[in-house]
Amino acid sequence: MKRARWCALLGCVSGTLALQFALAFDPPERQVAAMNHPATDKTAIEELARIWKSLDRERMKPLVNVYPLEPKLKLGEDSLGFGNKQDLTKYLAEIQPTIEEMIRVAARIPEQFGSPPSDSDESPNAHMEYPRAWIQNFERLLSADASWKWENAEADAAADRIGAVFRFAQWLWVQREDSNSPVIAVGLVVRNSKHLNAMLDDGMDKALSSDAKARLQSAMAEIEASDPGGLLRGWEDAAQNNVRWFRQEFLGEDGAKRYAEYLRTYGVFAGAVSDLSRFDAKAAEVWREIQGLVPEKDFAEKASGLTKEQLSAAIDEAEKLVSPLAVAIRAENIDSVRTLSTQIASDQTQVARCVIGPVVPTLQLSQSAREALAESKRRISESAK
């Protein structure tokens, strides 16, 4: 049985706490053809690898300071020596042919990445040799370059870079063996749509050619408007898979010991990020939604003392929450989800946190993607009339 693992990674990105967790779900029918693209045909992935290897990571560091939702290229203060706007635009100017290659490869039929590598003490940066990481970095380059193009009154070029990001989201959505990619793709669509909307607010809609608008519409058309990335549709299957995987992994010999190691690996240091309000109110708001619903690394020592009977009972209780949560998710009833989430938080073994995770942010992320994408589609469609 394929492992359907839930894990939470928390980070502040442009004032928003980004929640990324693994889900396993069936993609929309329109994506099946891309998923069935032969995994042995590595032509497009080889192109991605070649592009990635050609980039100078040192000169990409100013991307850390970019405000990603500003219409024109804006960087924050370079307090850590990552570089300034002049450094970044000089590099962007030099790699324009490479960025054009990114745009062309993004439009190709998505290929399968295969299983993601695991970082280790011997290979701490193994994840950077995996296509998902390349695409995440390509997004940052394309987004920054789109802002710079618009700043230089090159509206069509800016639109093509935004369109490439939407297409790269499709690459992430169809991955069979990397359950993190689809959720990362939803976050990518949220940022890209909001970035586009900011540029449209800045007057880019009046500067775009008819052809550029058509290309943008085409790039957005394949994104499922009602449930981008299948987050809501696939939640129940993911949770049920997690239940089966937990029974398989932690009810055998040394199950408690292995469960404790799982928490050490995939748990979070809750205290380290719980007081975010002094840095970012939005981040603090999102964290309040998930506090008490994510497994904590510090609980690992207690977890190692759980009996097989305690673990089995905890898994059974977590499973009982899946169906009512699925009903609430399909109805997008956040109040019901919050009520059920109190039971997740009250599980003294933290198994429910691992199996189910924080569901409200799933609804919020899906809603944010739908609203931002719908606004982008509406704006481009109206301007194209």
Side-chain angles (χ1 to χ4, degrees), residues 45-63:
I45 289 181
E46 286 178 351
E47 286 297 297
L48 293 179
R50 180 182 59 79
I51 292 170
W52 173 243
K53 291 175 183 177
S54 74
L55 295 172
D56 187 331
R57 298 189 201 181
E58 189 67 25
R59 298 185 69 187
M60 289 170 61
K61 283 185 176 180
L63 291 170

Side-chain angles (χ1 to χ4, degrees), residues 109-147:
I109 296 175
E111 297 175 359
Q112 293 299 308
F113 299 161
S115 299
S118 298
D119 289 342
S120 64
D121 292 340
E122 294 76 23
S123 302
N125 295 315
H127 65 284
M128 295 304 296
E129 301 308 317
Y130 188 62
R132 185 219 305 149
W134 309 340
I135 286 176
Q136 287 177 278
N137 281 279
F138 294 165
E139 177 220 348
R140 296 168 71 191
L141 274 170
L142 288 163
S143 179
D145 198 47
S147 291

Side-chain angles (χ1 to χ4, degrees), residues 39-170:
T40 55
D41 179 7
K42 299 294 185 182
T43 304
I45 289 181
E46 286 178 351
E47 286 297 297
L48 293 179
R50 180 182 59 79
I51 292 170
W52 173 243
K53 291 175 183 177
S54 74
L55 295 172
D56 187 331
R57 298 189 201 181
E58 189 67 25
R59 298 185 69 187
M60 289 170 61
K61 283 185 176 180
L63 291 170
V64 172
N65 295 323
V66 171
Y67 288 85
L69 304 185
E70 290 291 326
K72 296 182 173 68
L73 187 59
K74 179 180 178 181
L75 277 69
E77 182 182 353
D78 182 30
S79 59
L80 298 176
F82 288 121
N84 53 36
K85 181 175 178 178
Q86 183 178 0
D87 296 327
L88 181 57
T89 55
K90 183 177 180 181
Y91 185 54
L92 290 175
E94 292 176 17
I95 63 168
Q96 285 303 301
T98 302
I99 288 177
E100 293 294 340
E101 289 178 352
M102 284 183 203
I103 295 170
R104 288 193 292 270
V105 176
R108 297 184 62 172
I109 296 175
E111 297 175 359
Q112 293 299 308
F113 299 161
S115 299
S118 298
D119 289 342
S120 64
D121 292 340
E122 294 76 23
S123 302
N125 295 315
H127 65 284
M128 295 304 296
E129 301 308 317
Y130 188 62
R132 185 219 305 149
W134 309 340
I135 286 176
Q136 287 177 278
N137 281 279
F138 294 165
E139 177 220 348
R140 296 168 71 191
L141 274 170
L142 288 163
S143 179
D145 198 47
S147 291
W148 190 45
K149 290 295 183 184
W150 172 232
E151 183 176 315
N152 293 324
E154 298 178 59
D156 284 11
D160 286 342
R161 283 142 183 79
I162 293 291
V165 173
F166 281 127
R167 291 191 169 96
F168 272 135
Q170 297 282 27

Side-chain angles (χ1 to χ4, degrees), residues 14-26:
S14 302
T16 301
L17 190 66
L19 174 66
Q20 300 169 354
F21 48 93
L23 295 175
F25 52 80
D26 294 327

